Amino acid sequence: MIHSSRVRIAITGLNAKPDNPSSGLAVARCIRETAEFNGKIIGLSYDVMDPGLYQNEIIDSAYLLPYPSSGDQVLLDRLKEIYHKDPFDILIPCLDAELPNLIRLQNHLQQIGIVLLLPNGEQLNRRDKNRLPELAVQTGVKSPEITQISHPGFFYTCHQKGWQYPLVVKGIYYDAGIAFNAEEAAAIFRKIAAEWGLPILVQRFVVGEEFNLTAIGDGAGRLNGAVMMRKRAVTDKGKAWAGVTIHDEILLNTAEKLITELKWVGPLEVEMLRTSQGVYHLIEINPRFPAWVYLTAAAGCNLPWMLVKMILREKLENQNPEIGKYYIRYSQDSVIERSEFESMTIWGQRNDDDNNN
Amino acid sequence: MGHLSTYDFTFDADVFKRLALSDSGFVFDPVTGKSYTVNDTGIWLIKQLQKNPNLDALHSQILREFEGEATVIERNVMEFLEQIRQYVL
């Protein structure tokens, strides 16, 4: 098996939009800045406007993928095409919506030499947003009630079923908003449904502060390298704009209960709300690294690199993250040559040859 | 017995012990991620509570350490503890 220092890694999720970035570019940055890494990073994304496709200092070559809705075979064919042109050993998906396709394709990909560390379909489904309360009951963790709807009429009659405002309106994969009345809720419903489709989820609102934990499940019920973060500032979408590493045994134990129950395999993020009484409520479990994952490397517990070593079955070093490490996100304009944009638009790729020209 | 020693202020002593306290007055709670700033007197008070989270002991220590009218000092300390209760505990 290839050594981690020379491994070729493909990473998805390069749509680093300032107010709601995916984690792909942060994952790539963690790996790129690892001193012992001298391999190659291949970026995979869906839109020519995804800025991560053009970050030459982090991503060696980049390719467009078909959207997950295109189906398994179309995705497999494209990955094979890229592989034969620009081989890679490991694929790290960074978008929730990619997971179902890749879980189904995992064996096919392994046959051609691409390795992933993913949960199985049942594990993935058990952490679906609409099934979280069920998982919470099984593990003794608190989680706000959630219901699935397909029509905004719910918001005008929900008080009859015991729902009170404010409440949280969420997409099945992405996006969420807090609504203080039926009109606001219906507007959020329509906005999320237009972008991400139906159904829409409605979750009871819990007053609390947001704490997140990211780690890698080993499949035997254990967490590797848990890093905890408290959000210090959020965007209008509720995404962390600034945060600080913390260590709370209660948060860690709660996450461990969930991961042990799921026997989770691969990266994940547990999102919790902590009330003023110190009680944690489970809000979401994301099946991938979070956008703030670079903080793990900055705090001395580089989780993307740990994932690479786990996949390659190399010895893991015990790394305790530094507590009190802050990050503040900022946006920056990337300048792209017309030839790069042209290549991505026409050929769906930017490779080493383009960089050398 | 002064007001301070009879003041109803219950807290988890571990919360004080875990606070990272800088000489600049920057206080960081590694469990909640919250940070605060306190003045020199606040630094002194938190250090005392980290060493011995007992209000009787704090009361005696204050009267030894600071000059001034005992009731005024005690009132200021109680106000400070109330702020700590609100922000830290």
Side-chain angles (χ1 to χ4, degrees):
Chain A
M1 188 173 272
I2 193 164
H3 190 265
S4 58
S5 61
R6 299 183 306 278
V7 71
R8 298 161 299 185
I9 305 165
I11 299 169
T12 71
L14 305 180
N15 56 328
K17 290 176 183 168
D19 62 341
N20 188 14
S22 296
S23 58
L25 202 53
V27 169
R29 189 178 172 206
C30 288
I31 293 169
R32 174 62 69 207
E33 293 185 8
T34 301
E36 59 191 285
F37 177 70
N38 196 28
K40 183 170 186 182
I41 297 178
I42 296 154
L44 303 175
S45 207
Y46 298 91
D47 192 302
V48 290
M49 298 301 283
D50 289 346
L53 290 166
Y54 308 97
Q55 302 305 306
N56 302 351
E57 291 169 3
I58 300 174
I59 308 281
D60 295 301
S61 56
Y63 299 86
L64 288 182
L65 290 178
Y67 280 99
S69 57
S70 305
D72 292 358
Q73 192 58 49
V74 175
L75 176 61
L76 181 61
D77 290 345
R78 177 59 174 154
L79 286 172
K80 280 181 176 174
E81 185 187 9
I82 295 168
Y83 179 84
H84 287 124
K85 198 180 293 177
D86 198 352
F88 51 94
D89 311 293
I90 289 174
L91 173 56
I92 304 178
C94 293
L95 293 172
D96 302 24
E98 297 170 331
L99 272 283
N101 299 62
L102 290 173
I103 288 169
R104 290 191 294 269
L105 293 175
Q106 192 167 8
N107 289 338
H108 294 285
L109 293 171
Q110 274 179 343
Q111 281 169 13
I112 60 173
I114 303 169
V115 188
L116 302 92
L117 193 64
L118 297 177
N120 62 37
E122 173 59 13
Q123 289 167 327
L124 183 72
N125 294 340
R126 286 184 70 193
R127 39 92 4 225
D128 278 351
K129 292 175 188 175
N130 56 340
R131 290 184 63 184
L132 274 189
E134 184 186 326
L135 177 64
V137 168
Q138 288 162 347
T139 50
V141 175
K142 289 188 182 300
S143 182
E145 185 185 355
I146 201 160
T147 192
Q148 187 171 302
I149 64 170
S150 54
H151 193 278
F154 168 87
F155 299 115
Y156 298 90
T157 57
C158 61
H159 60 279
Q160 294 167 3
K161 296 175 184 168
W163 288 82
Q164 292 178 329
Y165 291 96
L167 44 76
V168 185
V169 184
K170 292 185 163 186
I172 197 87
Y173 285 122
Y174 301 107
D175 223 342
I178 298 169
F180 289 86
N181 55 53
E183 284 73 26
E184 283 183 9
I188 297 169
F189 175 102
R190 280 188 279 272
K191 180 178 171 294
I192 296 176
E195 192 166 0
W196 302 108
L198 295 173
I200 295 293
L201 304 174
V202 183
Q203 191 174 48
R204 287 196 191 275
F205 180 74
V206 175
V207 178
E209 292 168 340
E210 295 186 55
F211 290 77
N212 294 0
L213 176 149
T214 184
I216 307 168
D218 70 353
R222 287 184 298 270
L223 285 181
N224 282 332
V227 178
M228 291 166 258
M229 182 275 288
R230 175 175 185 253
K231 293 183 184 180
R232 291 299 308 261
V234 294
T235 67
D236 58 0
K237 288 179 184 287
K239 303 295 173 186
W241 191 258
V244 59
T245 52
I246 58 135
H247 182 88
D248 186 351
E249 280 296 315
I250 300 171
L251 175 58
L252 180 61
N253 293 341
T254 306
E256 281 174 342
K257 280 184 201 169
L258 295 163
I259 283 12
T260 301
E261 171 65 24
L262 291 171
K263 291 193 168 50
W264 187 261
V265 186
L268 84 163
E269 180 194 29
V270 179
E271 295 188 20
M272 311 280 283
L273 277 175
R274 185 177 186 266
T275 66
S276 56
Q277 287 78 39
V279 178
Y280 280 100
H281 293 254
L282 175 63
I283 301 300
E284 283 184 17
I285 300 177
N286 296 314
R288 39 126 185 108
F289 286 127
W292 56 271
V293 73
Y294 183 71
L295 184 64
T296 70
C301 184
N302 188 331
L303 289 187
W305 186 241
M306 184 181 284
L307 174 68
V308 170
K309 298 191 99 163
M310 281 176 71
I311 290 173
L312 298 176
R313 300 180 191 283
E314 293 179 12
K315 189 167 178 261
L316 302 181
E317 290 160 22
N318 189 22
Q319 300 167 312
N320 291 320
E322 182 185 341
I323 306 306
K325 197 72 142 180
Y326 288 77
Y327 82 94
I328 303 173
R329 187 169 291 156
Y330 73 105
S331 60
Q332 177 177 283
D333 299 343
S334 289
V335 176
I336 300 159
E337 295 302 325
R338 190 185 67 188
S339 59
E340 291 179 288
F341 192 75
E342 177 185 327
S343 177
M344 196 57 71
T345 303
I346 302 296
W347 306 110
Q349 68 178 60
R350 173 186 68 76
N351 58 31
D352 302 28
D353 296 337
D354 299 324
N355 296 342
N356 295 334
N357 289 339
Chain B
M1 186 69 71
H3 293 101
L4 187 58
S5 54
T6 56
Y7 169 57
D8 179 22
F9 183 73
T10 53
F11 58 89
D12 182 353
D14 289 340
V15 175
F16 278 105
K17 286 181 183 165
R18 76 188 185 207
L19 295 177
L21 180 60
S22 161
D23 288 340
S24 67
F26 185 80
V27 184
F28 176 73
D29 185 334
V31 171
T32 66
K34 290 181 180 175
S35 55
Y36 317 89
T37 52
V38 295
N39 61 17
D40 288 346
T41 313
I43 295 173
W44 183 87
L45 277 167
I46 291 176
K47 280 183 177 171
Q48 296 306 312
L49 288 166
Q50 285 181 323
K51 278 191 276 190
N52 183 9
N54 176 291
L55 288 191
D56 282 336
L58 180 66
H59 180 227
S60 308
Q61 189 71 18
I62 288 169
L63 294 180
R64 276 200 299 275
E65 193 74 23
F66 294 96
E67 288 181 3
E69 199 176 327
T71 53
V72 175
I73 293 173
E74 284 170 7
R75 191 170 66 240
N76 289 341
V77 171
M78 281 191 285
E79 282 175 9
F80 179 73
L81 293 176
E82 272 305 315
Q83 283 192 316
I84 285 191
R85 188 205 299 275
Q86 190 179 340
Y87 291 113
V88 180
L89 303 179

